[in-house]
Structures are given as structure tokens and as C-alpha cells.
């Protein structure tokens, strides 16, 4: 399922729920079909997400690593790569006016 983030200050951001869910949970947000970040929450949320990424990211596996079938494993997409667009949206939107906001919407709770 897709999760659509809309900001009053930046463009639209789309993520699969499998990527958006852990990011929102790291920020203490419920993974509901609709939610919001207020302007007052954005700066702290961006910093908290940066810290969560530092704790969660493990070093990438060797390029030559093979799976149990002897095939080369696909590249791992780190949490930091998934989180960066949301961190950027939070930081840029936090510099907006007092009415700045970010909302997300999905077709159902995830």
C-alpha cells in the first residue's frame, strides 16, 4: 500500500507502507490511514528520525555475499536511505510559517 505525505511547504512524497510504518513508529506516530505533523513537532521529529537511523543502520553486506541458493544477494536498502526524504521534508517544512504542516494518507491503517 502507498502512503502519501503532503506538506504545505514542499512537494509530495510517496512511500510504501513497509517503509513508512517503521519511520512513523520511530517517531511515536500511529500508522493510521491519516495523520499529521504540526509545525511545532517537525524539528524534533527530524532530529529523532536522524537518531533512530543512526541506531538502526548496520554496515551493508559485502557485494560478493551469496544467498543459500548460491545467487548474489540483492542490495540492502538501509533505513537511512528510506528516511532521508522524510527527514528533508520535516526540516524544510519546519522552517515554514506557523501554519506549516505535513499530513499523510493511505487507503487504510498500516
Amino acid at each position: 500500500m502507498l502512503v502519501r505525505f503532503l506538506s504545505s511547504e514542499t512537494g509530495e512524497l510517496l512511500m510504501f507502507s513497509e517503509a513508512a510504518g517503521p519511520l512513523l513508529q520511530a517517531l511515536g506516530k500511529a500508522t493510521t490511514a491519516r495523520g499529521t505533523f504540526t509545525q511545532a513537532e517537525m524539528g524534533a521529529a527530524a532530529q529523532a528520525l536522524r537518531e533512530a537511523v543512526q541506531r538502526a543502520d548496520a554496515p551493508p553486506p559485502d557485494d560478493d555475499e551469496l544467498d543459500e541458493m548460491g545467487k548474489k544477494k540483492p542490495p540492502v536498502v538501509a533505513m537511512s536511505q528510506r528516511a532521508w526524504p522524510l527527514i528533508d521534508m520535516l526540516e524544510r517544512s519546519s522552517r515554514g510559517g506557523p501554519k506549516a504542516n505535513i499530513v499523510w494518507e493511505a487507503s487504510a491503517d498500516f
Side-chain angles (χ1 to χ4, degrees):
M1 159 181 10
L2 283 177
V3 180
R4 184 175 165 206
F5 291 88
L6 300 163
S7 168
S8 61
E9 308 298 312
T10 68
E12 175 181 81
L13 171 62
L14 295 173
M15 282 188 194
F16 285 110
S17 59
E18 294 82 11
L23 299 179
L24 290 172
Q25 289 170 347
L27 297 173
K29 293 286 191 176
T31 53
T32 56
R34 297 187 195 291
T36 185
F37 288 100
T38 64
Q39 200 275 339
E41 295 174 312
M42 292 178 201
Q47 183 60 36
L49 197 50
R50 283 183 183 276
E51 292 168 5
V53 164
Q54 288 176 346
R55 289 188 305 270
D57 274 352
D62 294 333
D63 287 338
D64 298 330
E65 195 172 324
L66 303 177
D67 66 12
E68 58 276 351
M69 301 295 284
K71 295 181 181 177
K72 190 174 178 181
K73 286 187 176 181
V76 175
V77 179
M79 184 177 181
S80 60
Q81 292 169 306
R82 296 185 188 277
W84 176 246
L86 183 56
I87 292 170
D88 183 55
M89 178 182 268
L90 286 163
E91 289 177 342
R92 290 174 55 199
S93 297
S94 72
R95 293 188 292 267
K99 293 185 180 183
N101 64 75
I102 297 173
V103 297
W104 72 83
E105 54 186 35
S107 57
D109 291 354
F110 52 100

